[in-house]
Amino acid sequence: MKKSTSATNPSKLYCAIFGHNYKVTRQVTHHVKEYKCSCCKKELTTNSNGHLTELTPKFKEINATLAKIYSNKLSRMNAQRFNTSAA
Ligand SMILES: [Zn+2]
């Protein structure tokens, strides 16, 4: 039996066999979340189609923008609710 010379990450092998163990690391918006595999540290995010995709630097950028818009929207909604309930 040949010994593999490539540095195989044992946790990656575990994920390949048993599947990733994703945990939500960040709630970007109500629909978009970021996930990280607690085993091999692979990161995923929800894309605009609602499907999971690899969290690339590009998606991190998109998510940061989304989070900003989302928190603005939320605070505006909260302000509105406050105004109407005060009336
Ligand atoms: Zn994994």
Side-chain angles (χ1 to χ4, degrees):
M1 193 172 148
K2 240 201 229 166
K3 236 187 180 177
S4 172
T5 47
S6 64
T8 313
N9 187 340
S11 52
K12 265 194 181 152
L13 188 67
Y14 180 92
C15 288
I17 297 166
F18 299 105
H20 296 285
N21 186 20
Y22 289 120
K23 296 262 157 66
V24 177
T25 51
R26 187 177 180 209
Q27 170 112 27
V28 180
T29 71
H30 194 66
H31 301 287
V32 178
K33 287 174 192 148
E34 288 177 6
Y35 305 84
K36 193 184 214 169
C37 177
S38 61
C39 203
C40 68
K41 312 299 176 205
K42 185 183 163 77
E43 290 180 296
L44 287 187
T45 186
T46 324
N47 67 13
S48 48
N49 299 323
H51 296 134
L52 289 178
T53 186
E54 202 172 322
L55 183 62
T56 59
K58 187 77 206 164
F59 269 108
K60 277 190 183 178
E61 212 174 282
I62 292 169
N63 284 354
T65 310
L66 270 180
K68 219 179 281 176
I69 296 168
Y70 187 66
S71 68
N72 281 347
K73 202 171 111 184
L74 272 190
S75 59
R76 217 176 318 146
M77 269 163 63
N78 285 339
Q80 248 169 33
R81 209 177 301 150
F82 181 76
N83 284 343
T84 47
S85 63

